[in-house]
Amino acid sequence: MSVGVIGAGAFGTALAVALASKGPVTLWARNPEHAATMRNTRQNAQRLPGVELPADITVSAQLETVLKCNTLLFAVPTQRLRRFLIDLDLSRHTAVACCKGIEVTTGVGPTSILSGARHAAALTGPSFADDIARGLPTALTLACADSQVAEALQAELSTPKLRLYRTSDVIGAELGGALKNVIAIGCGAVMGAGLGDSARAALLTRGFAEMQRVAVALGAQPETLMGLSGLGDLTLTCTSDKSRNYRLGLALGAGTEFDAAITVEGAGTARALRGVAAKHDLDLPICATVADLVDDNVDVPGAMARLMARPLKEE
């Protein structure tokens, strides 16, 4: 196995830790000082404190080192991925997107951005970095259009504690992972504002209906959204403060500060959905409201009033 993980944030580091149980893994960190600290301390104290890096993980800040690996896992934020790939030749690599979102400027998902790779796939589903790194049982979706490549990746990246299910519906898997982040911001805002569990359940359920609406319009299989990459990830992200998107919503609802240095993919995805909705004539009131919320165009009381005042209709 020749696996490289690009991006030494919490999730990239956790994947490297999990996969090192099967063999050598190269973990690339953007900052040379950060890479050196991880090598010396055998921890990523900045992003994943308390987790020891196994001996089989090589930490490097040199792209040349990680590009020697055949399979590359990209744990780089979706909105930065295209810029990162400039001048990189991935034509001999299998590239796996481990980020979730829709690119604001183009409206496409991560695997489309990785289209220059020999093979492109997406790894998505309900997972927190800390759970994976601690070896807690986790199940994810591996999406790849090529069934043979998908089977090979499934075998290569599965471990006794990390179980991968494969699908050929790349669009559906990516949309599930991207759109649930938007709904998670809304659910966090509900709880941060003290609007109650019933309101959160309603927002989660109606948000899921919007996710299905988008998926069908963009050519996904509706049943994909019922799986790990859709409903599973939605349930986890909308109910736990381990989720960065949920925590952003909590801060918006409570009117407290949120660390701007923390990457929140759902904010960019909410903005990207404005263009998607307009292009496909989709009614996405919750997603549109979340976009306005993160852009300070509406506050939580105004957002809730807007949604509750919508015309009555059948479910």
Side-chain angles (χ1 to χ4, degrees):
M1 182 173 70
S2 176
V3 173
V5 179
I6 295 179
F11 196 67
T13 303
L15 287 173
V17 170
L19 294 173
S21 65
K22 299 183 70 174
V25 176
T26 301
L27 175 63
W28 178 83
R30 177 170 53 99
N31 187 306
E33 292 183 3
H34 186 204
T37 300
M38 283 192 287
R39 283 196 301 271
N40 294 332
T41 63
R42 302 311 297 174
Q43 283 195 35
N44 185 349
Q46 289 185 19
R47 302 296 185 183
L48 200 63
V51 175
E52 183 177 350
L53 300 183
D56 269 343
I57 293 180
T58 298
V59 182
S60 176
Q62 303 298 319
L63 273 174
E64 295 81 3
T65 301
V66 73
L67 289 175
K68 293 177 182 178
C69 301
N70 298 320
T71 301
L72 299 177
L73 277 59
F74 285 84
V76 177
T78 300
Q79 307 305 331
R80 303 177 194 169
L81 183 57
R82 190 179 299 276
R83 184 170 67 248
F84 177 82
L85 293 175
I86 293 176
D87 298 329
L88 283 189
D89 180 10
L90 299 179
S91 59
R92 298 183 180 181
H93 298 277
T94 296
V96 182
C98 301
C99 45
K100 301 172 183 179
I102 298 175
E103 192 176 38
V104 174
T105 55
T106 64
V108 302
T111 55
S112 293
I113 303 173
L114 291 170
S115 60
R118 181 182 181 186
H119 304 292
L123 186 63
T124 184
S127 55
F128 288 137
D130 186 63
D131 293 344
I132 292 176
R134 290 168 54 203
L136 300 180
T138 304
L140 298 175
T141 297
L142 177 72
C144 183
D146 187 312
S147 60
Q148 289 187 330
V149 173
E151 289 185 22
L153 280 173
Q154 184 181 36
E156 184 178 27
L157 302 179
S158 291
T159 77
K161 298 294 180 63
L162 183 62
R163 180 177 175 84
L164 305 189
Y165 290 83
R166 66 180 185 273
T167 179
S168 60
D169 183 12
V170 178
I171 295 175
E174 284 193 330
L175 285 175
L179 300 177
K180 58 89 185 177
N181 284 333
V182 179
I183 309 307
I185 294 173
C187 286
V190 164
M191 299 307 289
L195 300 179
D197 291 328
S198 297
R200 175 171 59 179
L203 194 73
L204 188 156
T205 306
R206 295 309 304 161
F208 185 57
E210 292 189 19
M211 290 172 59
Q212 292 178 306
R213 216 171 290 156
V214 174
V216 170
L218 296 185
Q221 300 168 14
E223 56 268 26
T224 302
L225 274 291
M226 296 298 297
L228 289 166
S229 61
L231 184 58
D233 211 356
L234 178 71
T235 302
L236 180 69
T237 311
C238 291
T239 58
S240 173
D241 59 9
K242 287 185 179 181
S243 163
R244 293 168 296 179
N245 294 277
Y246 185 74
R247 291 203 308 273
L248 172 61
L250 284 173
L252 291 169
T256 58
E257 292 294 322
F258 185 81
D259 187 352
I262 297 176
T263 300
V264 181
E265 293 277 26
T269 300
R271 297 181 182 108
L273 283 172
R274 288 174 173 144
V276 173
K279 180 178 179 180
H280 296 275
D281 193 25
L282 296 174
D283 184 28
L284 307 175
I286 293 175
C287 293
T289 299
V290 170
D292 284 342
L293 193 62
V294 298
D295 284 343
D296 293 324
N297 294 330
V298 67
D299 58 13
V300 173
M304 187 55 61
R306 176 196 296 181
L307 293 173
M308 294 298 287
R310 284 175 51 79
L312 301 177
K313 64 175 186 178
E314 290 186 355
E315 188 173 19

